[in-house]
């Protein structure tokens, strides 16, 4: 079986890390899929989907490191037309999707793994995330 669902997120900050593990688990709990894979895909070029540990110090370190790699302004060509080059460049370095195994009706994440939606050019309304589940 293949099931597609849409998730909408409003973001509050310019750079915001949002743990969506609970939302994805709730979505999966309402489906009758015991084994398979679940793909989470963000339909934007200034956001990212990543999996890592939800520890506040680490999330600050992540934000700082990404900021050190990509300065806000650096004579970027895209800034001349859209003034958000840094957000796109951060998105280039990250990923727009993650795929997670489903075992016995549950996401088979590691103990310290959470799923994050990363806003890189917020605040924005109605960010679109597509969740596709393939399984039985
Ligand atoms: Zn742009």
């Amino acid at each position: 079986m293949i099931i597609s669902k849409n998730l909408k997120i409003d973001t509050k900050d310019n750079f915001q890390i949002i743990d969506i593990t609970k939302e994805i688990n709730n979505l999966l709990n309402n489906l009758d899929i015991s084994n398979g894979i679940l793909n989470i895909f963000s339909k934007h070029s200034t956001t990212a989907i990543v999996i890592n540990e939800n520890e506040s110090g680490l999330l600050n370190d992540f934000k700082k490191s990404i900021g050190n790699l990509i300065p806000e302004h650096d004579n970027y060509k895209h800034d001349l037309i859209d003034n958000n080059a840094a957000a796109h460049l951060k998105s280039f370095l990250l990923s727009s999707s993650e795929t997670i195994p489903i075992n016995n009706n549950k996401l088979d994440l590691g103990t310290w793994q959470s799923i994050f939606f990363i806003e890189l050019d917020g605040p924005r309304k109605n960010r679109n995330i597509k969740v596709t589940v393939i399984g039985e």
Side-chain angles (χ1 to χ4, degrees):
M1 199 187 325
I2 302 176
I3 300 160
S4 284
K5 297 274 179 188
N6 292 302
L7 208 68
K8 301 248 188 207
I9 293 185
D10 292 343
T11 61
K12 289 185 227 138
D13 299 324
N14 180 252
F15 188 125
Q16 192 180 354
I17 304 167
I18 302 166
D19 190 329
I20 56 168
T21 314
K22 203 178 277 176
E23 284 79 358
I24 303 297
N25 271 320
N26 288 343
L27 191 149
L28 181 61
N29 288 340
N30 290 323
L31 306 177
D32 189 25
I33 299 282
S34 48
N35 290 289
I37 53 170
L38 181 146
N39 177 269
I40 305 162
F41 177 75
S42 172
K43 297 177 73 170
H44 304 279
S45 56
T46 55
T47 68
I49 303 284
V50 297
I51 292 176
N52 216 297
E53 182 177 348
N54 192 351
E55 190 278 311
S56 59
L58 178 66
L59 298 183
N60 277 326
D61 296 339
F62 169 63
K63 201 168 168 179
K64 182 180 158 192
S65 300
I66 289 282
N68 287 342
L69 283 171
I70 313 276
E72 271 316 297
H73 296 285
D74 191 13
N75 291 315
Y76 300 127
K77 301 255 192 292
H78 187 69
D79 280 348
L80 299 174
I81 59 162
D82 199 18
N83 205 33
N84 66 352
H88 287 279
L89 294 170
K90 289 169 189 169
S91 182
F92 262 104
L93 294 184
L94 300 166
S95 173
S96 56
S97 73
E98 290 281 2
T99 301
I100 302 156
I102 301 164
N103 266 10
N104 300 320
N105 251 125
K106 290 195 177 341
L107 287 179
D108 200 2
L109 288 165
T111 309
W112 304 108
Q113 287 182 313
S114 293
I115 308 160
F116 298 107
F117 174 79
I118 317 273
E119 174 61 79
L120 300 166
D121 192 28
R124 297 286 191 101
K125 289 226 177 289
N126 283 322
R127 289 298 210 179
N128 282 297
I129 300 168
K130 186 116 195 170
V131 179
T132 307
V133 180
I134 303 173
E136 54 186 18

